[in-house]
Amino acid sequence: MKTCELRWFLPGTPPTAINNWFEYNCPGEVVTWENTRDDWYLLPQSPCDYLNLKLRQGRLEIKWRNAEHGIFNCQNLGQGKAESWLKWICADQQTNSFLPTVKNTPGSWLKVNKIRSQRELELETTCHIELTQLKVKNQSWWTIAIESMGNINTLKTFVEQVSQTCPKLELHPNQSSAYPHWLTHSI
């Protein structure tokens, strides 16, 4: 599966205005609302910002960045780094056998508790926006992501729609990254 996406990470919890916007005024239909789960990430060896390996709900997922598209200006959102990613998912019953080993290998794997809400909109292809609260190592973070299953032009169109409706955030490129970068540089 190929995605084009923008993502930002911020410490703390989402502001009330962002939660209200996401619930009532954000484009798209609600796909999930406050879905709670624990994902286990293999800690990347810095500076490996282009590879992500995780265990999620009995699946092994591998994502790797195959293109960087530069900085996007996103009106009310601010600026962020757009990237294309390829994802491979192994949904084998054997995958669950990794979890006991993962939990007992401190320093190699990291548990990230997530409360995720997601909306979906069909443009030329499926597009998602997610708002997720994160808890890792007793720290609270939140992330907002905009994703297209199509090409970079579809992502641009969706970003324009999203950023026209959201409250002013003024996000910066230094807050914009994928999970591998965030895990090695912020946690």
Side-chain angles (χ1 to χ4, degrees):
M1 170 183 350
K2 180 181 177 184
T3 62
C4 294
E5 56 191 66
L6 285 160
R7 180 179 295 277
W8 295 268
F9 290 94
L10 297 108
T13 57
T16 302
I18 296 302
N19 281 326
N20 288 340
W21 161 75
F22 196 87
E23 186 172 358
Y24 300 110
N25 298 318
C26 183
E29 298 295 319
V30 173
V31 178
T32 59
W33 188 254
E34 296 190 347
N35 179 9
T36 302
R37 67 171 182 243
D38 292 330
D39 288 348
W40 288 86
Y41 287 84
L42 180 65
L43 289 173
Q45 299 301 309
S46 187
C48 183
D49 292 349
Y50 57 87
L51 183 65
N52 182 12
L53 180 76
K54 70 181 166 191
L55 291 171
R56 168 185 282 172
Q57 298 173 319
R59 300 182 320 225
L60 176 65
E61 297 185 9
I62 300 171
K63 277 180 82 171
W64 58 96
R65 183 179 61 222
N66 70 331
E68 295 177 274
H69 302 289
I71 305 296
F72 272 32
N73 289 311
C74 308
Q75 295 179 359
N76 287 338
L77 287 170
Q79 295 183 323
K81 298 174 190 170
E83 302 174 327
S84 290
W85 289 82
L86 296 172
K87 184 192 290 191
W88 176 77
I89 299 172
C90 177
D92 189 308
Q93 291 182 352
Q94 300 285 332
T95 305
N96 282 328
S97 66
F98 286 126
L99 202 50
T101 303
V102 165
K103 289 181 178 180
N104 293 316
T105 314
S108 296
W109 292 84
L110 185 64
K111 179 173 86 166
V112 179
N113 177 265
K114 299 179 179 182
I115 302 173
R116 186 175 110 171
S117 299
Q118 188 177 48
R119 289 181 164 271
E120 182 176 281
L121 183 68
E122 290 293 327
L123 294 173
E124 295 170 21
T125 186
T126 304
C127 296
H128 293 112
I129 180 166
E130 79 173 55
L131 180 63
T132 305
Q133 297 176 56
L134 307 165
K135 187 71 97 173
V136 60
K137 290 188 174 179
N138 294 319
Q139 297 177 33
S140 294
W141 288 79
W142 64 284
T143 180
I144 186 167
I146 304 170
E147 171 185 81
S148 165
M149 301 301 172
N151 60 35
I152 195 67
N153 292 326
T154 306
L155 178 66
K156 286 179 184 178
T157 301
F158 190 44
V159 165
E160 288 174 14
Q161 288 186 15
V162 169
S163 62
Q164 288 174 3
T165 66
C166 85
K168 195 151 187 77
L169 281 176
E170 297 183 19
L171 300 171
H172 300 280
N174 65 345
Q175 297 167 311
S176 180
S177 70
Y179 275 90
H181 181 86
W182 175 68
L183 290 169
T184 57
H185 294 86
S186 300
I187 300 301

